[in-house]
């Protein structure tokens, strides 16, 4: 069927649908006739902004015969339609073109969630797809995109993460662009991208003069080895796509020049266009990171590819670009990649990247450099062999020291399970809901602590002054206290070690109480008068409490320059130490093994060590940070202090003299209100760190400082931003911790989320179903709680 027959088919369909032929559609067929007469490739460009809803059904009828026609390809483009088109009609139109479909550009269309879901779950036979929508949050393109070679998701500013198998149906995908999205997780992102067998070009930020993913045409050097890629031309079967020739489709009319050479662009006009766009439409991510620079700029200062100053090279970076050594990690993790962020990847850079990654990142815990099988490790543990080879001998070394053997196998098992999935198990501690009898209200956690000797217990205090003790393994309520007239937030909690049923709580109004869980009702909503609670003298503007190692004294600190010492047995305040710092003290912490030694941290940027035996008038030593200190804590063996200052300044000091042992070099955001908190995990092997303006928890080796992984805490409800308020490592389970999170919109919500790095999110889903069945079959009358 020639073009004329296809046109007649369109006109006949217009008659049947009783609509007038669209003049734009007629011009498309006329252009196709001209192309055919000149023996050129015959391509129809469908501009959605030239169509109305009534125009689409006749066009669909005509396109259903495309397979039998002389038309070589069809592009569907949208540059901002004044008419709201029926999205079902658009999808039907694209499907009608079948294998003739080449380019889809929906970057100017306001796409609804249902349309995006259908498109992503069904798929399309196009070779180039460009989407731009604020409704895409988690990329889950599970439909058939078998012919797709180029995917552009630039400016999808709600896109935060890539689902595990989102590219599994795109075996021919070679070019991927995700500039100015909210993708931030370096670990899960590279894990997903590594599964794309054909990926050659990738970018999360663009060179100022580049519209596609290929290497910058203005860059100097390194072109010779990438001639094929520099032309941006790839072959797929019998069809060859010149990506630079598609620049016309992806470029706004005001920056496109009609020249004989379609790959040439008026640089001055193009740069001016970008500047105008930048001035007129400020990036929604502009203030996400302030001080750090995208990593390509840091590592490639010598490559001024645009001829402008370095600060002008990289535009529209996604948050992932601000991770330290972002480029090196990407290059090392994606060995088939040829171009990253419009810069070619050389053989030398690949080798350098491997060195950088091995220096600053841990592939697996405890220096394991390859994934191992859990079953094999268990078999070796049973037979008493460590599996370690020595010299040229093929014999395995036998491990006779039982203690060392148990530690070795425990760490090996952790490393094997850790490497099994990049998506750890996350589920709320309070994954159960409860409504008070008299009012519709939820518990709102503000502080929490694991029990020091009972691995199943956790206590948390709420913004409304309630003390709640739960079995975080089963979800059962163990104790609840809501004193009459108390509506102040619980800011401090600390369990006693020798008396495991007791804990001290401090409230923001200065009230201090000692509770006994054995005297607390195990029913939510019971209003008690605080029976069994011991009251201490108030400490004004309280923020933290901490009990010493012998359970006879505790410290209280707050928005003051001193701390107070209390006697637990008598309930009396023994002494107030004043003017210990120049600004308010955020935290005072006793050592784990000495009842006299304690450390304080303050916004005056100092951390100080004190000894009660020497009357705390002068500190044992003072160590300083560059920003105000948010908190300090001792390592479990008291050898180190972990200090956290504002905006991700995390350091480990020698507890003996305060000398710097390790700087973890976590990227700052530039925010003066990004309060950072850090704790130990797995004894003192690793540290976890989170900040109140971010939703990521960083995990670093405490001895080497190398980053093991970041865990991003994502909300289950759309439109909500999640922030890390506090966190704690599980003292009994390796690579387990909990995070107190807060959401700010549309309504504030607090929740404690458990993270298990040794289990996958799939395992967590099955576990949740099992727990749900257990709860339904349980005869316990315990109410369930939701924060």
């Amino acid at each position: 069927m020639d073009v004329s027959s296809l046109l007649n088919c369109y006109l006949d369909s217009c008659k049947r649908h009783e609509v007038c032929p669209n003049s734009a559609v007629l011009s498309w067929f006329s252009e196709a006739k001209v192309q055919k007469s000149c023996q050129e490739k015959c391509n129809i460009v469908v501009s959605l902004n030239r169509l109305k809803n009534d125009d689409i059904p006749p066009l669909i009828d005509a396109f259903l015969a495309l397979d039998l026609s002389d038309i070589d390809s069809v592009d569907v483009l949208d540059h901002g339609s004044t008419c709201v088109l029926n999205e079902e009609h658009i999808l039907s139109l694209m499907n009608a073109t079948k294998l003739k479909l080449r380019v889809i550009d929906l970057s100017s269309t306001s796409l609804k969630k249902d349309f995006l879901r259908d498109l992503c779950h069904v798929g399309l036979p196009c070779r180039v797809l460009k989407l731009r929508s604020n409704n895409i949050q988690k990329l889950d393109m599970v439909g058939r995109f078998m012919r797709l070679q180029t995917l552009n998701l630039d400016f999808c500013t709600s896109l935060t993460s890539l689902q595990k198998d989102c590219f599994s149906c795109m075996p021919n995908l070679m070019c991927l662009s995700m500039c100015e999205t909210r993708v931030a997780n370096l670990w899960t992102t590279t894990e997903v991208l590594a599964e794309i067998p054909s990926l050659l070009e990738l970018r999360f930020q663009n060179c100022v003069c580049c519209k596609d993913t290929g290497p910058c045409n203005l860059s100097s050097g390194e072109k010779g080895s990438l001639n094929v890629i520099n032309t941006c031309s790839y072959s797929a079967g019998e069809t060859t796509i010149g990506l630079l020739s598609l620049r016309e489709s992806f470029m706004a009319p005001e920056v496109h020049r009609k020249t004989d050479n379609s790959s040439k662009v008026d640089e001055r006009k193009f740069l001016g266009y970008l500047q105008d766009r930048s001035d007129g439409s400020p990036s929604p991510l502009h203030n996400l990171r302030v001080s750090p620079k995208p990593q390509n700029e840091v590592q490639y200062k010598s490559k001024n590819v645009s001829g402008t100053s370095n600060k002008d090279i990289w535009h529209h970076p996604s948050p992932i670009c601000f991770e330290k050594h972002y480029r090196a990690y990407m290059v090392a993790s994606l060995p088939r990649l040829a171009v990253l962020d419009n810069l070619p990847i050389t053989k030398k850079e690949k080798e350098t990247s491997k060195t950088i990654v091995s220096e600053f990142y841990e592939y697996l815990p405890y220096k394991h450099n390859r994934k191992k099988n859990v079953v094999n490790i268990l078999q070796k543990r049973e037979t008493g062999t460590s599996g370690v080879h020595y010299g040229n001998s093929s014999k395995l070394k036998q491990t006779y020291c039982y203690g060392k053997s148990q530690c070795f196998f425990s760490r090996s098992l952790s490393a094997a399970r850790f490497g099994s999935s990049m998506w750890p198990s996350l589920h709320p501690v309070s994954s159960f809901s409860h409504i008070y009898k008299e009012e519709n209200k939820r518990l709102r956690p503000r502080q929490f602590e694991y029990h020091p000797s009972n691995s199943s217990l956790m206590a948390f205090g709420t913004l409304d002054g309630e003390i709640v003790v739960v079995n975080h393994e089963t979800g059962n309520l163990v104790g609840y206290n809501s004193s009459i007239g108390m509506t102040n937030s619980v800011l401090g909690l600390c369990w006693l070690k020798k008396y495991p049923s007791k804990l001290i709580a401090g409230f923001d109004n200065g009230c201090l109480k000692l509770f006994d869980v054995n005297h607390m009702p195990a029913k939510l909503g019971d209003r008690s008068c605080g029976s069994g609670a011991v009251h201490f003298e108030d400490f004004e503007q309280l923020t933290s409490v901490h009990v010493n190692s012998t359970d006879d004294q505790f410290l209280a600190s707050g928005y003051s320059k001193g701390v107070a010492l209390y006697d637990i047995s008598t309930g009396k305040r023994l002494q107030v130490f004043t003017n210990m710092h120049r600004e308010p003290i955020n935290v005072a912490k006793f050592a784990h093994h000495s009842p006299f030694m304690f450390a304080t941290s303050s916004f005056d940027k100092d951390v100080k060590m004190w000894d009660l035996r020497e009357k705390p008038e002068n500190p044992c030593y003072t160590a300083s940070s560059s920003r105000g200190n948010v908190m300090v804590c001792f390592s479990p063996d008291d050898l180190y202090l972990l200090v956290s200052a504002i905006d991700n300044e995390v350091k480990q000091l020698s507890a003996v003299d305060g000398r710097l042992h390790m700087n973890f070099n976590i990227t700052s955001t530039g925010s003066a209100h990004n309060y950072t908190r850090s704790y130990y995990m797995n004894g003192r092997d690793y540290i976890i760190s989170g900040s109140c303006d971010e939703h990521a928890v960083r995990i670093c080796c405490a001895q080497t400082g190398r980053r093991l992984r970041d865990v991003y805490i994502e909300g289950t409800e759309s439109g909500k931003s999640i922030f890390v308020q506090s966190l704690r490592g599980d003292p009994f389970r390796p690579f387990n911790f909990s995070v107190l999170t807060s959401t700010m919109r549309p309504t504030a919500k607090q929740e404690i989320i458990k993270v298990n790095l040794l289990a996958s999110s799939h395992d967590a889903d099955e576990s949740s179903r099992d727990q749900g069945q257990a709860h339904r079959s349980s005869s316990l009358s315990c109410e369930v709680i939701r924060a």
Side-chain angles (χ1 to χ4, degrees), residues 178-201:
M178 290 186 284
C179 300
E180 200 158 313
T181 64
R182 290 189 180 272
V183 174
N185 194 325
L186 194 59
W187 287 261
T188 57
T189 301
T190 52
E191 182 85 355
V192 170
L193 296 177
E195 298 300 317
I196 307 176
S198 303
L199 187 64
L200 294 175
E201 297 178 359

Side-chain angles (χ1 to χ4, degrees), residues 151-223:
L151 177 61
N152 187 305
L153 298 170
D154 293 347
F155 306 104
C156 291
T157 53
S158 295
L159 178 58
T160 59
S161 61
L162 308 179
Q163 298 298 87
K164 186 175 181 181
D165 298 316
C166 65
F167 296 116
S168 61
C169 294
M170 303 179 191
N172 296 306
L173 183 66
M174 291 184 285
C175 306
L176 177 63
S177 184
M178 290 186 284
C179 300
E180 200 158 313
T181 64
R182 290 189 180 272
V183 174
N185 194 325
L186 194 59
W187 287 261
T188 57
T189 301
T190 52
E191 182 85 355
V192 170
L193 296 177
E195 298 300 317
I196 307 176
S198 303
L199 187 64
L200 294 175
E201 297 178 359
L202 172 69
R203 70 176 186 181
F204 288 95
Q205 57 190 347
N206 66 288
C207 173
V208 69
C209 62
C210 297
K211 288 296 290 183
D212 51 48
T213 58
C216 178
N217 289 330
L218 300 180
S219 62
S220 59
E222 295 169 341
K223 282 188 175 183

Side-chain angles (χ1 to χ4, degrees), residues 89-106:
H89 286 175
I90 296 175
L91 198 58
S92 298
L93 177 65
M94 292 186 294
N95 283 318
T97 59
K98 299 179 182 177
L99 297 181
K100 301 284 186 174
L101 189 61
R102 184 178 70 157
V103 177
I104 295 177
D105 182 357
L106 300 177

